[in-house]
Amino acid sequence: MPWKLVLGVCILLPVVMGFVMYACKNKIEPRINRWACVTVFIEAALVWWAVLCCPGDTYTLFSLTEGITLVLRFDGLGRFFAGLIATLWPLTTIYAFGYMAHQPRKGMFYAFFVMSFGVTAGVAMAGNLLTMYVFYELLTLSTLPLVMHEMDTKAVRAGRIYLVMCVGGAAFGFAAMVFFQTTGCSLEFILGGNLSEFTAGKHVTVFMFILGFFGFGVKTAVFPLYFWLISASVAPTPVTALLHAVAVVKAGAFGVIRLIYYVCGTQLLSGTWGQYVVLAAALVTMLFGSSMAVKETHFKRRVAYCTVSNLSYILMGAAMMSPVGMAAAIMHILCHAVSKILAFFCVGAVLETTHLQYIADMEGMGRKMPVTFATYTVAALSLTGIPPLCGFFSKWNLLTAMVEAGNAAGLIAAAVLIICAFLSAIYMLSVMVRAFFMPGKNTGAGIIEADKRMLVPMVIIAVGVILIGIFASDFMTLANNIATGLI
Amino acid sequence: MTEFFINFPCFSIILALLASAVSTLLGKSAARRLTIIVCALIFCASLCTLYHVVCAGESVTYMMGHFPAPFGNEIRFGIFECIMAATFSLVMVLCVIGGAGSVIERIGGFRQNLYYIMADLALASLLALTYTNDIFTGYVFVEICTVAACGLLAARNSGKSISAAMRYMIFSLIGSGLLVLGIIFLYGITGHLLFPQLKESVASLWASGQYRIPLTAALCLLTIGPAIKSGLFPFHLWMPDTYSTALPGSAGILSGIISKGYIVFMMKLVFQVFGTEIFFESGISLIFLVFGICAMIFGSVGAIRAKSISRMNAYSSAAQIGYIYMGMGISAEIGMLAAALHIICHAVTKSAVFLSSGELIRVSGGKSDFFSLQGAGHRAKLAGVVFTVGAMSMVGIPLTMGFITKIYFARAGITADGMTLAVLLALAVSTVLNVVYFLKTMIRIYTPQKVGSQEHIVTGAPKGKMLAFSGLVLTVLNICLGLHCEPLVQLLRRGIEMI
């Protein structure tokens, strides 16, 4: 089986289809749903086929210049990420059909929505840091029109912030990347890393690692580079849900894990000041995101702040620089992805159906939109970390990893995690309480349950959240196997 | 068979000079056609010469008319010179084709062939600067180049453009003055004008320690003169006025290749007269490095503060020139390689950016402020795409040529002793600043106009096809080099060893 071709098609098919859809957007506008649907499902099938069957060989595509080669390789972590996006993308597409039904410029929306699927698949399949960096930049550019979809002043401003922070941040990652390559650290992804000694001096190397961490970490909204994520919540909800809860931000987390565990390696870095800086950044972001979420009164922005906080759980796990930490981080990528996409879907369903934006308006809504708020409850409970749901297990794993580290840093991290868990209970569950247990101000008859095309994906994902919770030990084994290199 | 190709550089210079002379007699469109044909021929000739030099594996010294030195004149070319000549002629022909529409629109009837005379002259002098083996011939063509550039700038008959051309002339003549002083110093010390003899005596004088101060002064003058002429910070202040009043084609020519011609000439001086050891020992390299970094930052800051797209492009040119000088200041091998690559990258990219912004301005009612430009990318679709790709290349987004040069600058920076962090951080910060203004403009031209603002009335005959052709060729070239740059890099590397 010419797997190189299959992987190439996985990346190129949506990109080419996106261009085609953009070029004839006026002609195919009435049938755009069909085009998007067919492309996304074929692509998802292709990616899943590659995830399950593709051998872990290295496929060299071509070289840009000396030493700069684009390489594809599917290892455990890449398969995991690719599987995740290939599951959530089709569901989001169905949701988008409902959400976007009455929005203008659907042609452009679906063109770039499809295109970014291919680019995200490229991030997952990249075989070295350079290839990942290339797709990383392309991901920013291909998702920019989605962020700016509304094209009003707010959206354009959000787009500018998004571009400057993500492309600008990547420039620092670029400096670190070229530094590592030139000082003899290969950029190939090998579990355990390639950095065998500090050829260029310990402190310079550690400094460059931190530059790289923040460079790739911009996409995970690490403090103080978080506000693009908040302002980008002006995008249509399918975009916020998929890109700013899963694809883009998880690509950032994925990039940081790649940098720490696959390029630099934990051998030399753990115990240096670099590790503590990185850990401190993650902890500060967690506390900051949680407290801002409590303060925020706008429903969608509150969930966005929750994302900021939760992404740093992943970074914290990654910053522990141990296999247990990495496994916990991977587990949280999965659990947060499904829970948060569900939470955003609910926010979007309310927003599109009723145009209510603030949390105070949610009073009594639980009775008018029972399915929406039932699924929201599942998401909220999972994000808070209530036992049978998947969020509990990922938090449990993170705590275990912190405590197992056994040092002061680990214990502080564990304490911060517990504080954040309390805060998340406040900000997630308070909305639920308002919706179900408070008498509604909005007694108007106009409010009805959301479009079916939105409800179906929500229910499917809610069931998924519960199932992942039930079979958590299997997923944990999977994460452990990835972290120890068995897959 | 390829032996015959060694005559081509000499023929090219003469052909361009002849074309400018003949153009005076021709009508306006005939002059344009002649210029395009001649530039295209010169491009092909440069490729042929390049092929010969690559096969031969060594540079060629060519005596014009087979007379030895005092009577005849020498040119010398290796891979580096041929690549630069090819770049210059290619960008020139594309700028002439792409800028033709605006020339017809803006320049009154009989003056149009004057414009093409200047373009021919500029190309002749650029080729001579690239190929020359004689420092005095170099100086003569530096002056011809200045005059031609002023002509291109002042072609548009408005008070603003004439005063901008004057300003350019003053800055440029200061540079020429320093250059000629340097040549006099050098001639006074050594008594030679040809590069090989100069190099021999400079090397022996430097080794013996004699005339150390005058030699250093000559080196300073000979490098800082061209630096002023090409607009290195803080001498970039003529750029915004000049480029914003110039025609798009002229701005493309001036920023894309004329300012590069001086840099190529200076690189030749550094390699062929002083030798890189003296250049790096004397500390001039450090000046280049520091001022290059300053140019990158301050040029970009100027671009962010600029109120119109043409001034923004001008400040961006100042920043990009900074990259080139930074590369030259780092090291003789990889630093110079990065600089040479960036000369090509910037020539290809910036000319496309200037041409496309000219078209974007035209469809916005001739206004170049950002507010009027809103939605211009929808009114002129192709120009929007060309500008977008150009902007991405200037930022250094992967799969464009800008990314490749950024990699080489970063690699060069890492080899710089003690300056590693400065160079890497400057690159990163400069990228952030580039994103701020270039991609902001990219978003701006695709933002729909506000409801109620007046519709722009497009006046003048569109010369869409010619502009589209140039823009497309430059964009495709940019992306192709971005996808696979290895052959060019290896050629340039051999070329730099060969200089």
Side-chain angles (χ1 to χ4, degrees):
Chain A
M1 181 56 62
W3 282 104
K4 185 173 168 178
L5 190 72
V6 175
L7 296 187
V9 169
C10 278
I11 295 168
L12 282 182
L13 172 84
V15 175
V16 171
M17 285 307 286
F19 273 116
V20 170
M21 282 159 77
Y22 183 74
C24 0
K25 60 180 185 295
N26 296 331
K27 224 181 277 172
I28 61 167
E29 179 100 28
R31 281 160 288 133
I32 193 83
N33 283 5
R34 226 172 295 163
W35 279 70
C37 188
V38 169
T39 316
V40 166
F41 275 86
I42 291 178
E43 167 74 3
L46 268 177
V47 172
W48 263 112
W49 181 35
V51 165
L52 295 176
C53 305
C54 178
D57 299 339
T58 306
Y59 305 101
T60 309
L61 293 183
F62 57 90
S63 82
L64 298 180
T65 177
E66 303 148 321
I68 306 292
T69 316
L70 293 188
V71 170
L72 297 182
R73 195 165 70 88
F74 240 155
D75 60 359
L77 188 62
R79 277 173 216 269
F80 168 78
F81 186 54
L84 182 66
I85 57 158
T87 312
L88 293 180
W89 219 285
L91 290 172
T92 313
T93 312
I94 298 171
Y95 178 85
F97 293 153
Y99 187 89
M100 299 297 290
H102 309 293
Q103 301 258 356
R105 288 193 298 281
K106 273 188 283 193
M108 203 180 93
F109 176 84
Y110 285 115
F112 285 101
F113 187 73
V114 165
M115 212 185 282
S116 37
F117 192 1
V119 179
T120 317
V123 173
M125 291 168 187
N128 61 19
L129 194 61
L130 241 151
T131 316
M132 205 188 79
Y133 174 84
V134 169
F135 286 113
Y136 218 67
E137 293 267 50
L138 296 181
L139 184 60
T140 312
L141 290 174
S142 63
T143 51
L144 173 71
L146 297 173
V147 172
M148 299 200 307
H149 180 76
E150 303 282 335
M151 276 298 180
D152 54 8
T153 321
K154 249 183 166 178
V156 169
R157 209 179 103 79
R160 274 190 207 163
I161 295 176
Y162 180 56
L163 252 191
V164 170
M165 295 196 68
C166 287
V167 179
F172 288 92
F174 170 83
M177 182 175 78
V178 180
F179 176 85
F180 283 127
Q181 196 190 24
T182 314
T183 52
C185 167
S186 157
L187 297 180
E188 290 294 317
F189 289 145
I190 294 164
L191 190 60
N194 304 312
L195 199 66
S196 48
E197 54 181 329
F198 291 120
T199 39
K202 183 177 171 186
H203 295 298
V204 178
T205 312
V206 170
F207 178 73
M208 282 297 161
F209 161 71
I210 290 175
L211 270 193
F213 173 83
F214 280 99
F216 288 105
V218 169
K219 277 209 165 70
T220 53
V222 64
F223 185 85
L225 308 167
Y226 66 92
F227 44 84
W228 67 266
L229 185 61
I230 308 302
S231 66
S233 64
V234 296
T237 305
V239 173
T240 325
L242 182 63
L243 298 173
H244 300 147
V246 183
V248 173
V249 292
K250 295 296 188 296
F254 180 75
V256 169
I257 294 178
R258 285 293 200 197
L259 181 73
I260 296 178
Y261 291 92
Y262 289 81
V263 176
C264 296
T266 51
Q267 234 179 350
L268 288 186
L269 284 179
S270 70
T272 56
W273 56 279
Q275 187 191 4
Y276 297 117
V277 169
V278 166
L279 192 59
L283 295 182
V284 169
T285 317
M286 282 162 66
L287 277 177
F288 175 80
S290 302
S291 15
M292 288 303 280
V294 173
K295 208 180 122 197
E296 184 61 58
T297 55
H298 189 278
F299 195 11
K300 200 172 178 185
R301 277 206 292 272
R302 173 177 284 192
V303 182
Y305 272 118
C306 170
T307 311
V308 171
S309 160
N310 267 280
L311 287 170
S312 279
Y313 290 17
I314 302 169
L315 293 185
M316 177 183 72
M320 292 318 289
M321 301 200 179
S322 63
V324 192
M326 182 178 161
I330 293 171
M331 187 68 185
H332 198 65
I333 287 185
L334 172 69
C335 295
H336 177 248
V338 287
S339 312
K340 188 50 64 66
I341 201 171
L342 182 56
F344 269 122
F345 278 177
C346 299
V347 174
V350 175
L351 190 68
E352 179 58 19
T353 317
T354 65
H355 301 285
L356 295 176
Q357 300 185 355
Y358 287 89
I359 289 161
D361 300 330
M362 298 301 139
E363 290 176 3
M365 294 287 287
R367 266 156 281 165
K368 289 178 186 123
M369 303 178 76
V371 183
T372 305
F373 277 92
T375 50
Y376 176 79
T377 308
V378 173
L381 291 176
S382 170
L383 285 169
T384 313
I386 305 294
L389 299 167
C390 67
F392 168 74
F393 295 99
S394 67
K395 276 190 186 164
W396 176 261
N397 287 324
L398 281 168
L399 269 178
T400 319
M402 303 304 123
V403 176
E404 243 176 55
N407 51 12
L411 293 179
I412 294 172
V416 171
L417 185 67
I418 290 170
I419 296 173
C420 286
F422 278 122
L423 288 174
S424 64
I426 295 173
Y427 62 73
M428 291 310 285
L429 297 182
S430 65
V431 182
M432 186 191 88
V433 171
R434 270 174 198 270
F436 282 116
F437 302 115
M438 284 174 93
K441 283 182 287 186
N442 305 305
T443 45
I447 298 170
I448 45 160
E449 186 56 272
D451 192 317
K452 276 202 194 67
R453 287 173 294 185
M454 290 196 242
L455 291 183
V456 170
M458 283 156 64
V459 172
I460 293 176
I461 296 178
V463 172
V465 170
I466 297 166
L467 284 181
I468 293 174
I470 293 172
F471 297 104
S473 60
D474 296 326
F475 284 100
M476 202 50 223
T477 320
L478 177 77
N480 273 326
N481 287 346
I482 293 171
T484 47
L486 291 175
I487 297 179
Chain B
M1 188 214 119
T2 57
E3 276 304 295
F4 183 65
F5 291 162
I6 62 168
N7 297 308
F8 282 178
C10 167
F11 290 174
S12 304
I13 300 172
I14 293 170
L15 190 64
L17 283 173
L18 267 181
S20 68
V22 173
S23 291
T24 51
L25 305 172
L26 294 176
K28 49 193 180 185
S29 55
R32 181 177 69 236
R33 270 180 220 129
L34 181 71
T35 308
I36 292 171
I37 292 168
V38 164
C39 294
L41 275 179
I42 292 175
F43 172 63
C44 299
S46 316
L47 288 186
C48 291
T49 323
L50 176 64
Y51 177 71
H52 170 76
V53 192
V54 170
C55 290
E58 56 183 8
S59 60
V60 178
T61 309
Y62 181 85
M63 275 188 289
M64 289 195 163
H66 299 288
F67 295 114
F71 308 104
N73 205 328
E74 267 188 21
I75 57 179
R76 178 168 180 274
F77 44 90
I79 297 175
F80 174 76
E81 284 89 342
C82 292
I83 292 178
M84 287 304 159
T87 312
F88 291 160
S89 44
L90 179 67
V91 174
M92 178 64 95
V93 67
L94 291 173
C95 281
V96 169
I97 294 175
S102 59
V103 169
I104 292 170
E105 198 181 309
R106 300 281 177 72
I107 300 180
F110 74 100
R111 287 156 56 95
Q112 279 183 31
N113 62 351
L114 295 181
Y115 183 85
Y116 294 110
I117 294 169
M118 292 304 167
D120 288 329
L121 266 184
L123 184 60
S125 53
L126 285 174
L127 292 174
L129 285 180
T130 313
Y131 286 134
T132 184
N133 199 24
D134 175 349
I135 200 165
F136 194 74
T137 313
Y139 171 69
V140 170
F141 280 99
V142 163
E143 291 293 35
I144 295 178
C145 200
T146 310
V147 172
C150 281
L152 288 175
L153 287 173
R156 191 173 163 182
N157 193 12
S158 74
K160 265 190 182 170
S161 65
I162 289 176
S163 75
M166 286 299 291
R167 185 177 295 198
Y168 172 72
M169 182 114 138
I170 290 167
F171 267 101
S172 205
L173 287 180
I174 294 172
S176 312
L178 296 182
L179 192 67
V180 79
L181 272 180
I183 294 174
I184 292 167
F185 273 33
L186 213 54
Y187 185 65
I189 301 167
T190 62
H192 293 294
L193 286 174
L194 282 180
F195 289 169
Q197 285 92 321
L198 271 174
K199 186 169 187 179
E200 230 170 78
S201 18
V202 166
S204 64
L205 282 175
W206 190 270
S208 68
Q210 270 183 306
Y211 296 116
R212 180 60 65 95
I213 292 166
L215 261 184
T216 314
L219 176 59
C220 273
L221 292 169
L222 285 174
T223 46
I224 289 173
I228 293 177
K229 288 177 82 78
S230 55
L232 177 63
F233 174 86
F235 301 104
H236 65 292
L237 294 170
W238 54 268
M239 282 185 175
D241 282 336
T242 312
Y243 291 164
S244 60
T245 53
L247 295 169
S250 315
I253 292 171
L254 220 74
S255 156
I257 51 181
I258 290 186
S259 56
K260 308 297 172 355
Y262 302 130
I263 299 177
V264 169
F265 181 57
M266 184 194 2
M267 278 175 131
K268 277 178 69 103
L269 289 182
V270 166
F271 275 95
Q272 296 179 347
V273 174
F274 291 97
T276 45
E277 291 84 14
I278 296 178
F279 176 67
F280 285 98
E281 212 176 292
S282 65
I284 301 282
S285 59
L286 197 64
I287 296 179
F288 275 18
L289 183 57
V290 171
F291 279 87
I293 290 176
C294 289
M296 282 158 65
I297 306 297
F298 287 100
S300 292
V301 170
I304 291 173
R305 294 175 54 188
K307 296 275 190 296
S308 73
I309 191 170
S310 26
R311 291 180 81 85
M312 180 195 88
N313 288 338
Y315 275 113
S316 146
S317 295
Q320 300 294 329
I321 295 277
Y323 278 81
I324 298 174
Y325 280 96
M326 181 186 80
M328 288 170 69
I330 291 173
S331 67
E333 298 84 27
I334 188 152
M336 288 287 180
L337 176 67
L341 264 179
H342 202 65
I343 289 178
I344 298 171
C345 170
H346 187 240
V348 170
T349 310
K350 198 37 86 53
S351 49
V353 167
F354 269 116
L355 286 175
S356 56
S357 3
E359 177 67 8
L360 293 175
I361 292 170
R362 195 179 70 82
V363 296
S364 307
K367 292 191 189 121
S368 64
D369 61 297
F370 288 118
F371 185 73
S372 307
L373 278 170
Q374 205 149 313
H378 293 295
R379 294 193 287 274
K381 291 206 165 56
L382 193 83
V385 172
V386 172
F387 182 85
T388 305
V389 174
M392 285 181 187
S393 176
M394 290 284 89
V395 172
I397 301 283
L399 311 186
T400 60
M401 197 184 172
F403 179 64
I404 307 283
T405 59
K406 217 167 76 170
I407 286 177
Y408 279 95
F409 279 119
R411 283 182 179 173
I414 289 159
T415 62
D417 283 337
M419 297 296 276
T420 304
L421 280 183
V423 173
L424 285 183
L425 288 180
L427 267 179
V429 170
S430 156
T431 306
V432 175
L433 296 175
N434 272 314
V435 176
V436 170
Y437 61 88
F438 260 127
L439 297 186
K440 182 187 82 181
T441 313
M442 182 185 96
I443 293 178
R444 175 73 78 166
I445 63 172
Y446 284 111
T447 308
Q449 271 185 299
K450 285 217 173 63
V451 186
S453 66
Q454 65 191 59
E455 283 288 304
H456 290 301
I457 302 143
V458 180
T459 53
K463 276 281 165 185
K465 270 185 195 158
M466 293 169 92
L467 184 71
F469 172 76
S470 299
L472 270 184
V473 171
L474 288 167
T475 306
V476 168
L477 191 65
N478 197 338
I479 292 176
C480 287
L481 286 174
L483 286 176
H484 193 63
C485 207
E486 203 160 342
L488 178 67
V489 172
Q490 278 165 0
L491 274 182
L492 269 180
R493 178 166 287 154
R494 281 177 64 192
I496 287 173
E497 281 164 14
M498 202 187 270
I499 296 182

